[in-house]
């Protein structure tokens, strides 16, 4: 039977066209019940009579039919393993797909899970359940009716069997109509409550329609302005009254947020709860800009949402005199939300005395996310656990968004729980590799196939070695050095040939592409490719034949490149050295074996290369990096050391840079439209204002109009007697810079390929394919350009490559964040029962706080000085980066002493807390602990008096 | 269109039979062959019809499109007629042979609808000076068997009569103006076709004249006039074409006949279309 569906739609260009689709109705579709003998079972039947959850509402087994809103809002309920034997109508699926793609995917996953027994009935194509839309019937009404018709059909169809058909809907109107038609219909909440043995399931229900909560909204006080409709927003944006942008909540102040929109160079600042109007970090919002007279600057104060007071004044503004700030920015308010970007959040419950009550406040780990109100009956269990919560809505009458409980990760403070929280919070794909990925791997034992020796150069007799940090198992680079008879030398950089194993388009490739990079936590590595490849087949281990992609250069003794070639090779590394071992071989002049000679040659060459690079304006930057000694049994950190840099570190780095630059130039020439490169844009000069000002106060002049100038300034910025000052200056200048990013060469003009930090016109990543996906792409491009491999369509499409680059940038950034967070976590574990006084430097000065860096541990923390605000005068000089508290002056780069301890007054939320010891500010600073200061070189600390002006 | 080869005897027979008012197929001079009209046969158009007169068969589709208003006539919509002939319509029209014929039919249809009254174009205005409807009317000959002009005009009127226009509402003002369409497929409006003319073509044959000629009869005609007739019986347009000359008195007689025949056909067409539209579903 054929039907035609006709509808009118508007095209993107504004034209209105009539669309006609042919629609076929069938009478051979099965009902999906295993008990039914009438239907021809074309698709396997799923619905059984053995429900897991027994409801007290029915005496017989029952099938559930859900409506669209249940599918949209109660997905967590549907995902629960107790909920089985559900009919999902095609109408519902289509509507969900139309409204929310990610929910649609989740429902499809449930349907594919055979143990859940979710059956899809194609009711729109079923002759008995198809209905035409009637005149004056809205689309939603028609779909609701279709759902009821399908339910009624089931009822009729399975009448002779002992089965109830239950329509679950939270729509009162729909429910009434269904009951009127003689069907059984219930609210989700009532249904869940009737289930035996699933008491906790109620927690998983979304608040949106939990009972009659919504009906009381009108009685409550309305706290926020109503959001404008999407239509009004669209119109407003078109006429430039409103602006669209991504909302970023401030990390430091919960009453402040920023929106980047194209109309303004600077981020628009939004201040105060009322103006923020329920925007949550990462939402796409529409904002209205205030008149210029109301523009303010960032408050510069640090404020955390720590009150529990519901009735807090919504007009509260961030503290601080923002109007007079010298950095005034466009200011506005949120008038509507264009797209919520809510995800599931990790966090803890706010501790209360009464765990009996069901309403609780949830504190997300991410500071930029507001607290969330949830309902749970398991508060006593969850109180000391990390949990995941999903946000449902944020009504106008609520101070906090409403959400519901999803999953319990584990007890708080537990290292594994905390690590999982980090991974989840940073969106790191960390699940084990799937079977389809593992199927792409070569079988062990494995050896290089004979024909590879025909295609590759055999360099197994060359003296190749690798130098890496101790304990490194994914060795992706190795080097060789050979003196040539003509006085020049030959240098080879050999990179693991991962592209041989990871072929484009395979499950393995797609997974690696999704992960983008390997992630290194303090005691754990999350691989980009399975371990067989990363630690074995691709790792350039000593004394094993390995395939490599090599760059071989002929150079003069002065480091001038005479010739170059790239080729795939087979190598056999003679030694996998650590930096320290390599250093010993170089330093031990008695050794004259080819390996040591080679290393010496490389080292000499590296020094020359480095000199030349610095001359060109390359920057030497610094970041406080630490390394933990991890107890092999408990995996707890037992010691901290800052990473020490040896000559050999720099040696390896030089040759990697050389290889990367050379490869970048090569692939850019061969593939000008689709080469994967890495650029580091020059920062706008204003970024350095802070640095220049702060240094000037210390009597140091920093010039930064070009990278060479900055490099020169940093080189000469020394304060006698304070060697750390220079490092500090480098740390701060690193923060002034932009992020380096991957990009596709065809997407930008050539001038922008520039790498600021390295001072080279073109750069890419080639040397670590095992742990970075971009390197793999570069390998493929390079292989294609030297005739060793084929290209494929996606690799040459610059739009696709651009998308890949975006993902790689995102993953790279997230990986960096999670690595930092992991260090912070381990630091906290390390300091668990300790309390130390340590030497520290002021990195930044805020209006009511200072950010300090503890030199020994590379720890950074904010110290609040707010407590004394009422007693002592606070004078904040933004341009001089100076804060005067009473008689004490705190200035950027000043040396202070801080006390580090883990704050455990709050068991729920342990954190590392630093307190000021010296200079002494009454009411703020604490007594030093002399016991731990057994050290003989007591740091020199400026006496408070001397700081007075 | 001189494509059918007739012998002198055949010609004589045809002309004389018309002069005798008994044509070769038994009709009198003012008789039409059987006219079949069916509407809404193309679901993806806004309005459509198929008209069959004898062997002649023509299909008309109306598709509405939103366009910018004309600067000089800001408050009216537009129509755009095109005529096409299927390559299989007649063995003589293969290749480019049909172009002249298409042009001729098009010019007659344009003439009929060039009058402002034919179709109330102000109904087609959406926002004055901003946007309006453009009706793309496609006329397609499936089979040619004489009297293409009349068949095309009947089909065109029927198609317009069956046309349903989506309900468009205007929201916002100025630059924010935005057209919105109702998602209710039942919410449509119809064109007013009460003033749409039809074309009655009269052919001079020898001393007499006739309507609705077959292909063979047209071969013998020395000239013809197209008369646009309104339902009220008024003449809205007229055009003479063909090589022969017309006596003024004969011309007046022919116009009288056209009015007579035209009003009659209008009446029948109207009742037929009404009956069709009440039984028709979407």
């Amino acid at each position: 039977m054929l039907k035609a569906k006709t509808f009118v739609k508007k095209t993107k260009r504004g034209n209105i066209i009539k669309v006609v689709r042919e629609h076929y109705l069938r009478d051979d579709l099965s009902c999906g019940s295993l008990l039914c003998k009438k239907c021809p079972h074309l698709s396997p039947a799923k619905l059984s009579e053995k429900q897991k959850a027994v409801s007290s509402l029915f005496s017989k087994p029952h099938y559930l039919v859900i409506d669209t809103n249940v599918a949209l809002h109660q997905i967590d309920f549907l995902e629960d393993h107790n909920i089985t034997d559900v009919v999902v109508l095609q109408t519902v699926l289509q509507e969900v797909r139309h409204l929310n793609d990610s929910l649609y995917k989740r429902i499809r996953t449930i349907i594919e899970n055979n143990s859940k027994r979710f059956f899809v009935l194609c009711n729109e194509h079923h002759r008995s359940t198809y209905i035409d839309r009637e005149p004056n019937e809205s689309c939603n009404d028609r779909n609701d009716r279709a759902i009821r018709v399908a339910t009624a059909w089931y009822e009729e169809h399975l009448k002779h069997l002992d089965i109830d058909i239950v329509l679950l809907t939270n729509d009162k109107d729909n429910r009434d109509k269904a009951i009127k038609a003689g069907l059984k219909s219930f609210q989700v909440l009532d249904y869940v409550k009737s289930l035996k043995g699933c008491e906790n399931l109620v927690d998983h229900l979304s608040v949106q329609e939990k009972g009659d909560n919504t009906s009381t909204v009108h009685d409550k006080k309305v706290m926020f302005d109503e959001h404008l409709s999407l239509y009004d927003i669209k119109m407003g944006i078109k006429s430039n009254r409103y602006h669209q942008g991504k909302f970023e909540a401030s990390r430091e102040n919960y009453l402040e947020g920023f929106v980047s929109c194209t109309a303004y160079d600077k981020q628009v600042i939004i201040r105060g709860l009322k103006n923020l109007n329920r925007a949550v970090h990462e939402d796409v919002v529409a904002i209205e800009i205030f008149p210029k007279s109301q523009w303010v600057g960032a408050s510069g104060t640090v404020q955390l949402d720590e009150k529990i007071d519901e009735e807090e004044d919504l007009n509260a503004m961030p503290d601080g005199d923002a109007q007079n700030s010298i950095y005034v920015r466009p200011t506005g308010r949120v008038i509507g939300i264009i797209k919520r970007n809510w995800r599931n959040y990790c966090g803890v419950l706010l501790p209360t005395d009464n765990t009996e009550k069901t309403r609780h406040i949830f504190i997300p780990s991410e500071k930029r996310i507001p607290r969330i109100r949830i309902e749970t009956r398991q508060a006593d269990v969850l109180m000391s656990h990390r949990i995941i919560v999903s946000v449902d809505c944020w009504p106008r009458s609520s101070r906090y968004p409403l959400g519901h409980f999803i999953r319990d990760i584990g007890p708080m403070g537990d290292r594994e729980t905390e690590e999982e929280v980090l991974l989840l919070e940073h969106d790191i794909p960390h699940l084990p590799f799937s079977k389809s990925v593992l199927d792409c791997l070569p079988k062990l034992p494995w050896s290089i196939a004979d024909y590879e020796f025909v295609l590759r150069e055999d360099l197994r007799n060359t003296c190749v070695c690798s130098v890496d940090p101790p304990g490194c198992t994914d060795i992706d680079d190795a080097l060789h050095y050979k003196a040539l008879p003509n006085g020049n030398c030959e240098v080879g950089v050999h990179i693991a040939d991962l592209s041989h194993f990871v072929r484009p388009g395979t499950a393995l490739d797609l997974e690696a592409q999704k992960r983008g990079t390997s992630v290194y936590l303090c005691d754990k590595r999350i691989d980009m490719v399975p371990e067989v490849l990363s630690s074995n087949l691709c790792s350039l281990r000593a004394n094993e034949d390995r395939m490599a992609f090599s760059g071989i250069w002929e150079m003069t003794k002065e480091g001038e490149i005479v010739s170059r070639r790239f080729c795939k090779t087979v190598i056999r590394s003679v030694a996998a050295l650590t930096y320290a071992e390599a250093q010993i071989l170089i330093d031990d002049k008695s050794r004259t074996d080819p390996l040591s000679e080679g290393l010496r040659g490389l080292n000499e060459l590296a020094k020359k290369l480095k000199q030349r690079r610095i001359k060109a304006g390359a920057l030497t930057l610094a970041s406080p990096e630490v390394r933990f000694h991890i107890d092999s049994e408990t995996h707890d950190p037992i010691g901290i050391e800052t990473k020490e840099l040896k000559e050999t570190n720099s040696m390896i780095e030089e040759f990697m840079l050389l290889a990367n630059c050379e490869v970048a130039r090569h692939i850019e020439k061969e593939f000008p439209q689709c080469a994967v490169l890495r650029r580091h844009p020059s920062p706008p000069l204003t970024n350095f204002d802070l640095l220049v000002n702060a240094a000037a106060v210390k009597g140091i002049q920093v010039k930064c109009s070009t990278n060479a100038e900055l490099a020169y300034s940093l080189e000469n910025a020394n304060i006698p007697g304070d060697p750390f000052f220079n490092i500090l200056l480098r740390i701060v200048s690193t923060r002034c810079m932009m992020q380096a990013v991957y990009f596709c060469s065809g997407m930008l003009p050539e001038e922008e390929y520039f790498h600021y930090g390295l001072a080279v016109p073109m750069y890419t990543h080639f040397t670590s394919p095992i742990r970075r996906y971009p390197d793999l792409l570069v390998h493929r491009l390079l292989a294609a350009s030297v005739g060793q491999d084929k290209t494929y369509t996606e690799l040459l499409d610059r739009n696709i490559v651009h998308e890949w680059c975006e993902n790689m940038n995102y993953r790279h950034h997230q990986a960096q964040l999670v690595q930092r967070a992991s260090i912070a976590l381990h630091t906290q574990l390390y300091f668990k029962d300790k309390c130390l006084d340590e030497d520290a430097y002021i990195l930044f000065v805020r209006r009511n706080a200072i950010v300090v860096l503890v030199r020994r541990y590379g720890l950074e923390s904010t110290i609040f000085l707010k407590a004394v605000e009422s007693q002592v005068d606070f004078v904040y000089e933004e341009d001089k980066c100076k804060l005067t508290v009473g008689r004490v002056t705190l200035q950027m780069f000043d040396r202070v002493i801080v006390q580090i301890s883990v704050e455990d007054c709050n068991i729920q939320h342990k954190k590392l807390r630093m307190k000021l010891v010296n200079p002494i500010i009454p009411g703020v600073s604490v007594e030093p602990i002399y016991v731990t200061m057994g050290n003989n070189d007591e740091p020199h600390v400026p006496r408070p008096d001397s700081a007075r002006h | 269109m001189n494509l059918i080869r007739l012998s002198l005897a055949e010609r004589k027979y045809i002309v004389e039979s018309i002069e005798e008012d008994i044509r070769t197929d038994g009709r009198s001079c003012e008789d039409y062959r059987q006219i079949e009209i069916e509407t809404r046969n193309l679901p993806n158009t806004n309005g459509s019809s198929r008209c069959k007169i004898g062997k002649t068969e023509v299909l008309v589709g109306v598709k509405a499109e939103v366009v910018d208003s004309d600067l000089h006539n800001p408050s009216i919509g537009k129509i755009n007629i095109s005529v096409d002939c299927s390559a299989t319509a007649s063995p003589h029209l293969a290749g480019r042979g049909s172009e002249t014929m298409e042009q001729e039919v098009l010019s007659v249809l344009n003439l009929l609808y060039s009058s402002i009254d034919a179709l109330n174009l102000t109904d087609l205005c959406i926002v004055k000076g901003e946007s309006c409807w453009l009706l793309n009317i496609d006329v397609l000959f499936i089979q040619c068997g004489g009297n293409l002009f009349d068949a095309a005009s009947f089909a065109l009127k029927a198609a317009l009569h069956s046309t349903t226009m989506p309900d468009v509402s205007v929201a916002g003002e100025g630059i924010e103006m935005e057209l919105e369409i109702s998602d209710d497929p039942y919410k449509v409006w119809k064109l007013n076709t009460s003033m749409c003319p039809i074309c009655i073509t009269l052919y001079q044959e020898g001393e007499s004249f006739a309507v609705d000629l077959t292909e063979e009869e047209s071969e013998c005609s020395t000239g013809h006039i197209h008369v646009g007739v309104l339902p009220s019986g008024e003449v809205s347009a007229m055009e003479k074409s063909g090589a022969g000359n017309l006596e003024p008195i004969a011309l007046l007689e022919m116009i009288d006949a056209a009015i007579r025949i035209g009003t009659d056909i209008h009446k029948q067409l109207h009742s037929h279309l009404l009956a069709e539209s009440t039984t028709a579903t979407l």
Side-chain angles (χ1 to χ4, degrees), chain A residues 747-787:
Chain A
M747 302 302 278
L748 288 172
E750 204 171 327
E751 308 86 80
E752 290 186 32
Y753 293 3
F754 182 67
H755 196 292
Y756 179 83
L758 295 172
V760 288
M762 222 173 278
Y763 189 68
T764 192
H765 274 162
F766 164 72
T767 52
S768 303
I770 300 180
R771 54 193 176 84
R772 292 188 304 229
Y773 193 75
D775 301 54
L776 184 59
L777 292 176
V778 168
H779 273 234
R780 287 178 184 160
L781 287 170
L782 188 63
S785 76
V786 297

Side-chain angles (χ1 to χ4, degrees), chain A residues 4 6-10 14-20 132-140 231 234-236 238-239 241, chain B residues 42-46 63-67 133 164 166 168 171-172 175-186 282:
Chain A
T6 307
F7 54 95
V8 185
K9 75 166 190 184
K10 201 167 123 184
N15 204 351
I16 291 168
I17 54 168
K18 188 175 170 188
V19 183
V20 179
D132 266 324
R133 191 167 157 182
E134 283 171 0
N136 299 323
E137 190 176 40
S138 81
C139 189
N140 283 336
Y231 178 79
K234 211 169 89 189
M235 287 301 136
K238 227 173 160 185
S239 65
R241 263 187 296 140
Chain B
L42 303 174
N44 50 356
T45 59
N46 291 69
K63 294 202 84 169
E65 183 185 4
V66 178
V67 292
W133 288 108
T164 53
V168 173
I175 193 163
E176 292 183 9
M177 198 196 68
E178 195 72 19
L179 298 182
E180 286 187 341
I181 38 172
S182 153
D183 73 332
D184 186 351
Y186 292 92
L282 265 180

Side-chain angles (χ1 to χ4, degrees), chain B residues 38-181:
Chain B
E38 162 187 85
T39 53
R40 292 164 224 269
N41 25 27
L42 303 174
N44 50 356
T45 59
N46 291 69
S48 58
S49 72
R50 188 182 63 91
C51 173
K52 200 171 173 211
I53 303 180
K55 264 169 69 188
T56 301
E57 190 173 358
V58 60
L59 196 60
V60 174
V62 180
K63 294 202 84 169
E65 183 185 4
V66 178
V67 292
D68 292 341
S69 294
D70 200 344
L71 275 180
H72 305 293
N73 292 312
S75 56
I76 63 166
K78 303 171 190 175
I79 58 170
N80 175 28
I81 306 174
S82 74
V83 177
D84 204 359
C85 188
S86 158
T88 58
S90 163
H92 318 297
L93 296 175
R96 300 179 63 105
S98 62
E99 274 180 20
T100 340
M101 186 276 274
E102 288 166 3
Q103 279 303 319
E104 271 183 62
V105 176
L106 180 60
S107 80
V108 170
L109 293 177
N110 275 335
L111 179 72
L112 290 182
Y113 283 86
S114 63
S115 130
I116 308 173
D117 300 328
L119 198 62
N120 189 359
L121 292 181
T122 49
D123 288 349
L124 295 178
C125 175
I126 301 169
V127 180
K128 190 178 170 184
E130 290 286 343
S131 55
C132 65
W133 288 108
L134 166 66
L135 297 181
N136 286 305
I137 302 171
D138 295 304
V139 178
L140 175 71
F141 286 103
I142 296 169
Q143 188 79 47
C144 293
N147 199 17
L148 305 176
F149 304 94
D150 297 8
S153 77
F154 299 167
L156 180 45
K157 174 154 181 167
L160 287 173
H161 188 269
S162 74
T163 299
T164 53
M165 303 288 291
D167 192 60
V168 173
S169 55
V170 182
E173 273 174 27
I175 193 163
E176 292 183 9
M177 198 196 68
E178 195 72 19
L179 298 182
E180 286 187 341
I181 38 172

Side-chain angles (χ1 to χ4, degrees), chain A residues 375-566:
Chain A
E375 279 190 42
T376 174
R377 281 154 192 79
Q378 332 165 42
D380 46 340
V381 183
L382 299 182
M383 213 29 109
S384 53
H385 281 217
R386 296 267 179 205
I387 58 173
I388 299 182
V389 158
S390 161
V391 188
D392 302 321
C393 59
W394 195 341
R396 290 173 65 195
S397 57
S398 170
R399 163 73 177 80
Y400 300 113
L402 308 181
H404 65 271
F405 167 70
I406 300 272
R407 185 162 77 87
D408 180 7
I409 304 176
M412 204 177 337
D414 182 58
R415 199 181 39 76
E416 275 179 23
T417 308
E418 300 296 338
E419 224 153 54
E420 190 175 348
V421 169
L422 290 184
L423 293 173
L424 286 169
E425 274 299 298
H426 290 89
D427 188 20
I428 308 280
H430 62 282
L431 295 176
F433 289 98
S434 70
K435 185 167 178 305
S436 57
V437 171
L438 295 177
D439 284 346
C440 302
L441 298 174
K443 300 277 169 293
L444 291 178
W446 170 91
S447 63
I448 300 173
D450 288 340
Y451 62 83
E452 289 294 340
F453 290 96
V454 182
L455 303 171
R456 292 165 184 270
E457 269 184 53
D458 190 350
L459 294 182
R460 281 179 294 176
N461 295 324
T462 312
C463 176
V464 176
C465 72
S466 65
V467 184
D468 285 286
C472 176
T473 58
D474 50 350
I475 305 169
D476 42 21
D477 50 73
L479 297 168
H480 87 254
Y481 176 91
K482 206 162 37 177
L484 294 176
N486 64 2
N488 289 346
C489 57
E490 181 189 275
V491 174
V493 174
H494 310 279
I495 308 298
D497 189 11
L498 187 69
S499 62
H500 173 82
F501 297 98
V502 183
R503 301 308 298 164
T506 56
L508 177 60
D509 181 44
L510 298 178
E511 180 67 24
Q513 191 182 329
K514 185 178 138 207
R515 298 192 176 211
T517 172
S518 290
V519 179
Y520 293 81
L521 302 182
C522 288
D523 62 340
K524 179 159 143 188
R525 183 178 80 204
I526 293 150
D527 283 318
M528 181 179 84
V529 290
E531 203 179 353
V532 177
L533 291 182
S534 66
S535 302
N536 185 356
L537 301 186
C538 283
S539 181
L540 303 175
R541 298 193 204 170
N543 301 319
E544 284 186 57
D545 288 355
R546 287 287 177 257
M547 292 191 280
F549 205 151
S550 308
I552 296 166
W553 290 270
E554 186 185 336
M555 292 171 133
T556 64
K557 289 267 186 269
E558 295 311 306
E560 296 284 351
I561 296 171
V562 180
S563 72
R564 55 178 73 82
R565 68 197 166 91
F566 301 104

Side-chain angles (χ1 to χ4, degrees), chain A residues 933-939:
Chain A
M933 292 285 288
N935 229 319
N936 43 12
D937 60 339
E938 194 155 325

